Amino acid sequence: MALADKDGIGSVSMRRIAQELGIEAMSLYHHVANKEDVLDGMVDQVFAEIELPADGTEWKTAMRQRAESAREAMIRHPWAISLLGSRSAPGPATVRHHNAVLGSCRAAGFSIHMAAHAFSLIDSYVYGFVLQEVNLPFDESADLDEVVDSMMLPFSAEDYPHLLELTTEIILQPGYSYGDEFAYGLDRVLDSLEAAARG
């Protein structure tokens, strides 16, 4: 995971893992079957980092906490976004996570179909948001004035007044963070799911 965090998922190979550990690649096969086994374990570890909904926690609170925790885990491990739903051999943390999310929905009175919809919609929002967030051309440490100037320089303010308005009224304001949009969107998703489950 440290290797993928540092150099991306493409850097993860049996040879590179062995090199990082200071051992021969063949030694790894005493512990894992192949690279797919390693990837399964990495994904399971990411799921282990995501806070599970606690029994008895109100549904929206539980889903909000889980979504925020999932976002934090994926920001720590951006390579995981493309792998979390792709593994055909889920580990115990993955299975426990999925069961807890569905259980929280069912305890809130969601039908099994509505629980499936909720799980899919929440995760689609979280994964999509994080994918966009980690690929922005700037981060929290960047000088946004310089980044925006370089991005907007080739374009006329008269031709793109709405983009200029967004940039000056929101993005360039002190304390702006794209990540702050996460809570607003998540609340809309949760509100709509709650309304649909009641309807």
Side-chain angles (χ1 to χ4, degrees):
M1 289 177 70
L3 180 59
D5 291 345
K6 183 176 73 161
D7 295 332
I9 196 65
S11 68
V12 176
S13 67
M14 299 301 271
R15 174 191 270 170
R16 182 78 188 276
I17 294 168
Q19 182 182 9
E20 293 287 319
L21 294 172
I23 61 172
E24 294 294 322
M26 291 308 293
S27 299
L28 293 174
Y29 293 99
H30 294 291
H31 305 283
V32 292
N34 50 36
K35 181 180 171 181
E36 292 303 306
D37 205 13
V38 172
L39 295 176
D40 288 344
M42 291 169 66
V43 166
D44 201 51
Q45 184 56 44
V46 173
F47 274 111
E49 293 180 16
I50 299 172
E51 181 182 338
L52 295 179
D55 288 342
T57 304
E58 187 268 331
W59 174 81
K60 281 172 78 172
T61 300
M63 291 300 104
R64 186 176 294 108
Q65 290 169 346
R66 192 212 45 116
E68 290 167 353
S69 180
R71 175 179 169 232
E72 290 165 7
M74 285 185 274
I75 288 172
R76 283 191 301 273
H77 312 295
W79 51 266
I81 298 168
S82 64
L83 293 178
L84 289 181
S86 72
R87 310 317 299 162
S88 60
T94 305
V95 173
R96 187 168 42 254
H97 170 270
H98 286 44
N99 188 67
V101 172
L102 291 168
S104 181
C105 293
R106 295 290 281 140
F110 284 36
S111 70
I112 189 59
H113 289 91
M114 195 62 212
H117 293 325
F119 200 164
S120 177
L121 181 57
I122 293 167
D123 278 5
S124 294
Y125 174 72
V126 174
Y127 291 21
F129 189 94
V130 175
L131 185 62
Q132 185 169 349
E133 187 174 23
V134 300
N135 284 298
L136 288 172
F138 57 86
D139 60 27
E140 299 298 320
S141 64
D143 183 350
L144 280 180
D145 288 333
E146 289 178 24
V147 173
V148 168
D149 283 348
S150 70
M151 290 172 72
M152 296 297 292
L153 192 60
F155 304 106
S156 160
E158 291 85 25
D159 291 337
Y160 302 99
H162 305 298
L163 191 55
L164 178 65
E165 180 183 37
L166 171 73
T167 303
T168 57
E169 297 291 323
I170 297 176
I171 295 172
L172 292 178
Q173 293 303 307
Y176 171 77
S177 169
Y178 176 74
D180 292 343
E181 294 292 334
F182 182 75
Y184 178 85
L186 181 60
D187 283 344
R188 301 297 72 79
V189 168
L190 297 177
D191 289 347
S192 67
L193 285 167
E194 187 174 56
R198 287 180 179 164

